[in-house]
Amino acid sequence: MDRGQLAEFLRVRRERLTPADVGLPAGLRRRTPGLRREEVASLATMSTDYYTRLEQGRGPRPSRPVLTGLARALRLNDDERDHLFRLAGEQPGPPPGPPSDVRDGVLRMLGRLDVPGIVLDAKYDVLAWNRQAAALMTDFSALPVKERNLLRLRFLHGDRQAERYGMDATQAFAREAAADLRAATGTYPDDPAIAQLVSDLLAGSPEFAELWARHEVARQQSLCQTILHPEVGRIEVICEVLVIPERDQRVVIYTAEPGTPSDQALRLLDVIGTQAL
């Protein structure tokens, strides 16, 4: 354990964060930059005294759960998390699970788009969406948090998905998504949410069970599909996938060729939202 380097790393990372970065109010004027020590300690679920001693280079060697809490509190990416573990004399090991927090800048971008957009994590949870995406796909806010997952929608509600996207498209998505989820289980072998998702899909979908038994592993390259919308009809979407590697997240943006009926349909959805015509 390198106490001096660990202390300096914790201090520098704490001072680089703002309250807004972690969802805290700014409050009164701060004497020092970044978060307060007690705020980091609270986010990491540890005592302020223990964290203070670590940052002063006089604390005991932190356990792996403590290091995991610190990595989460300080919003470290995978490389930074591994560095933290090594400074404390621990082997990093696999990340505990895909991050579920979305950067404020990404949320602002979604809100300013005039086309549908969503944010997915490695297990296809829909972490964020704009109102156009709700109108195009489904009103995710009306679903329980657990059900805001494209794989659950595809494999456990397959008939409705086939009506919306077509059989060929949903079958192609199913094959690619199952291989992508297999890759996620290798990246996050200890994540209980991924394990529960796989278990639920195996129990509820013979189609998924057959695909899972193939042991195919591949990252999905495309989420583009023709959408048969019940209100505005057929929409040929052009799909752009923007990768956020440090969070293992993808921003999926749906557009259409300008001047086409699909473009007009997207513009109409922007007006009507989730209301029925």
Side-chain angles (χ1 to χ4, degrees):
M1 176 178 174
D2 190 332
R3 283 183 169 81
Q5 287 296 313
L6 175 62
E8 185 175 353
F9 181 71
L10 292 174
R11 178 183 58 79
V12 169
R13 299 306 305 181
R14 173 176 63 83
E15 291 178 352
R16 288 183 181 179
L17 284 176
T18 66
D21 291 333
V22 296
L24 294 175
L28 300 177
R29 183 176 180 181
R30 293 170 179 254
R31 297 179 181 178
T32 58
L35 297 180
R36 298 187 178 99
R37 287 172 176 168
E38 58 266 28
E39 291 171 333
V40 174
S42 176
L43 291 169
T45 319
M46 59 191 298
S47 72
T48 301
D49 178 67
Y50 184 18
Y51 176 78
T52 299
R53 284 186 289 150
L54 285 176
E55 199 173 288
Q56 292 175 345
R58 56 187 183 88
R61 179 174 176 174
S63 65
R64 295 183 69 86
V66 167
L67 292 171
T68 298
L70 286 171
R72 181 181 65 250
L74 296 171
R75 299 299 192 264
L76 303 184
N77 61 35
D78 288 347
D79 291 335
E80 292 164 342
R81 173 185 174 276
D82 291 352
H83 182 64
L84 172 68
F85 270 67
R86 293 189 180 100
L87 288 178
E90 291 281 353
Q91 288 300 312
S100 60
D101 59 306
V102 180
R103 291 203 310 248
D104 289 339
V106 174
L107 294 176
R108 286 194 294 270
M109 178 187 71
L110 280 183
R112 292 174 181 174
L113 290 174
D114 60 358
V115 294
I118 60 175
V119 180
L120 300 175
D121 70 4
K123 62 182 182 297
Y124 287 75
D125 275 355
V126 181
L127 305 178
W129 61 91
N130 58 16
R131 62 184 183 84
Q132 293 89 345
L136 178 67
M137 303 173 72
T138 189
D139 186 3
F140 294 104
S141 65
L143 300 177
V145 173
K146 183 179 179 181
E147 298 302 317
R148 297 171 189 172
N149 180 279
L150 295 190
L151 298 184
R152 291 185 182 276
L153 291 174
R154 167 59 186 85
F155 289 107
L156 302 183
H157 306 283
D159 292 342
R160 279 180 281 171
Q161 295 296 297
E163 290 177 4
R164 178 67 66 94
Y165 300 104
M167 184 61 70
D168 289 343
T170 55
Q171 287 178 343
F173 174 80
R175 291 192 302 271
E176 294 181 8
D180 201 352
L181 183 60
R182 176 73 74 175
T185 62
T187 304
Y188 307 102
D190 299 323
D191 182 42
I194 290 182
Q196 185 63 57
L197 174 62
V198 172
S199 177
D200 291 348
L201 295 178
L202 286 173
S205 171
E207 179 189 13
F208 177 81
E210 189 274 327
L211 293 171
W212 195 248
R214 299 180 186 180
H215 285 266
E216 295 177 346
V217 182
R219 286 294 188 181
Q220 176 137 15
Q221 299 299 316
S222 173
L223 294 171
C224 302
Q225 297 169 345
T226 298
I227 298 176
L228 306 175
H229 195 276
E231 302 295 343
V232 299
R234 183 185 182 92
I235 308 175
E236 300 282 351
V237 293
I238 303 170
C239 186
E240 296 292 342
V241 180
L242 310 178
V243 178
I244 307 175
E246 69 273 15
R247 280 179 164 80
D248 200 3
Q249 294 172 356
R250 284 167 281 186
V251 182
V252 186
I253 301 174
Y254 300 88
T255 63
E257 193 70 32
T260 63
S262 294
D263 182 46
Q264 296 172 2
L266 283 183
R267 293 178 183 275
L268 180 57
L269 280 179
D270 187 24
V271 175
I272 67 175
T274 55
Q275 299 178 18
L277 290 176

